[in-house]
Amino acid sequence: MDDSHFGYKQKKNSKKTLQVPRSDLTEVGSATTITVGATESSPENAKAEEEEEEMSTSSFPDEVLEHVLVFLTRHEDRNAVSQVCKAWCSTEGASRKKVFIGNCYALSPEDLVRRFRKITTLVMKGRPRFTDFGLVPHNWGAHMYPWIRTMALHYPGLEELRLKRMTVSDESLEMIARCFSSFRALSLTSCDGFSTDGLAHITRHCGNLAELELQENEIDFRSGDWLTSFPDTYTSLVSLNFATVRPTVNFVDVDALERLVARCPLLRKLKLNKEITLKQLQRLLLRAPNLVDLGTGSYSYNLSWAQLSELQTTLARCKDLRSLSIIWDVAAMFVRTLYPVCLNLTTLNLSDVHLPTADFAKLISHCPKLQRLLVQDDVGDKGLQAAARYCKDLRELRVFPARDDGCATEEGLVAISEGCPDLRKILYFCKQMTNAAMATFAMNCQNLTHFRLAILKPYERDCVTQEPFDEGFGAVCRECKDLERLALSGFLTDKTFEYIGQFAKKLETLSVAFAGETDLGMQYILAGCTKLRKLEIRDCPFGDEALLAGIRRYLTMRSLWMSSCRITRLGCQFLAEKNPHLNVEIIKDNEAPEQLVEKLYVYRTIAGHRNDAPSSVETL
């Protein structure tokens, strides 16, 4: 759901009001009204008040509305209902079970419980995405404990928590385990602040736990008993992912894991870390033949041919398998053991695996139903051509760099577009590109919603004509009318940004790096992309004039990130003064010139300035 309604929007009446955007509440809303005073009464004002009174109530019984709302699952529909009148807004808030908050500082926990009274699922994001690139201080904030403490008092029926880039303490995990008796799902992605002791609280005390998802977290290893802490009577596990958990898994843990898997008949997703050997994998698969999503451990341990044959036979019994992830080492000679499960695969993740082109081509030839593929670029254009030849129903492709100089080129991109016309999303790291290839791709894949191109060397030009990539990106924006996310790369002039503003009318997220000529480029984006929600800019020549061009637009967006640009403290200060409902944060860098701002993070909020910012972060 978009940022469209935290509370009912009042009509214009006798009271002076401010429309306050409700930042980053993608399932909450974007605007409420705060009364700041009253004007003298008049016939016109009286009539407006009567209209407002009528709009604040509904002749539609609340009980009936509640039953209707059960059938509205789309966030956009829910938001639309909440804007009809105050009564509908209240009823909708009382009945909503799931809320997504795209920025934990967009509101306070108290704001959340005032608006929604029966939440069972909370999805929340914390630190900016550039945390993943080392551009945000480690102690930036995004602490989960205040939220858990408040929810423990108001949402005793909480069932699911899905957190990304948050700081989650062991105390928070213990409180989750002890305060929410119906808790069923915990997903932590790129989080920190907790240890294996905290995880042990979850596995030991959450008797109804169905899902435990641990992905790319910084976990302090204190004891290894979190995996052995599931009670012997526990049988409800449906999904377990500890693929990227680094601490060693010993043989005691593996034995406990085998027993856990054996007594959980509903287990459908199992993703293992590097410590799980092929022999251990085989034993686990014998106990979980109904898996739909499998992530293997290290796929390179030495096995005899007889053992390999047994593993292949065991895999062949997994008839329901649809998603396969191999994110650790893989030996080419073992690839053939995967062939029996490839026929029905819809997702294949090889994003961290070095696989020679020939072996990849053989593997992909057995995957005719594949819809999602993640792979390293060292499969080369030949490997991508094989994917295009055999995977006609591909909807999402991500090609990651295996080394700094890159292997994929424009030839692979064109091949994918010719073989996979239904492609919707692509992330493509490459060493070179041409405008002609991008134009061909856009013509062939007009249903595209996500286009992220990353040429490995900054400021690269068309490798054939030496022209900027203006026309290539222009073709993508012009032909792909449903484009929602775009990442730019290569040498670009202001013309690219003019094309984006002119044609990308559904664009919600734009990422720009090492691009642009003048402030005019950013101005084109802010003026033309009316649905833009997130704008990420780094190493671009945009200054205060570009920044202040969006002085009103930022109130309708989730966030703005700018780093290594040409903005000044004076410009940032002016932005903050003119928009009290924005948090304008400067992340200090000792290496930056005193008059320039190295890193700027701007986001909407109804909670005011946060009180947990470290000394390296200044809120203007």
Side-chain angles (χ1 to χ4, degrees), residues 129 449-452 483-488 500 506-512 525 529 531-536 557-559:
R129 191 176 70 91
T449 61
H450 293 55
F451 184 79
R452 294 187 285 168
L483 196 65
E484 297 175 0
R485 185 171 183 180
L486 177 64
L488 306 179
I500 295 171
K506 295 184 179 181
L507 193 65
E508 296 182 359
T509 301
L510 175 63
S511 302
V512 186
I525 298 298
C529 300
K531 293 189 176 181
L532 193 66
R533 295 170 58 198
K534 292 178 66 177
L535 180 56
E536 303 170 338
M557 292 169 53
R558 179 188 297 179
S559 63

Side-chain angles (χ1 to χ4, degrees), residues 17-31:
T17 60
L18 292 176
Q19 293 297 324
V20 183
R22 293 313 214 185
S23 61
D24 262 345
L25 309 178
T26 332
E27 284 191 329
V28 189
S30 65

Side-chain angles (χ1 to χ4, degrees), residues 428-433 453-458 460 469 489-490:
Y428 196 80
F429 280 85
C430 60
K431 66 178 181 180
Q432 65 183 44
M433 185 53 59
L453 178 69
I455 305 173
L456 291 172
K457 291 183 180 180
E460 282 289 288
F469 285 105
S489 186

Side-chain angles (χ1 to χ4, degrees), residues 232 234-237 254-267 270 283-290:
D232 291 338
Y234 174 76
T235 61
S236 60
L237 193 64
V254 174
D255 290 341
L257 181 61
E258 287 186 29
R259 294 194 299 271
L260 173 65
V261 168
R263 65 176 184 266
C264 293
L266 299 178
L267 187 65
L270 180 61
R283 295 204 303 268
L284 289 168
L285 290 178
L286 287 172
R287 290 158 176 78
N290 298 320

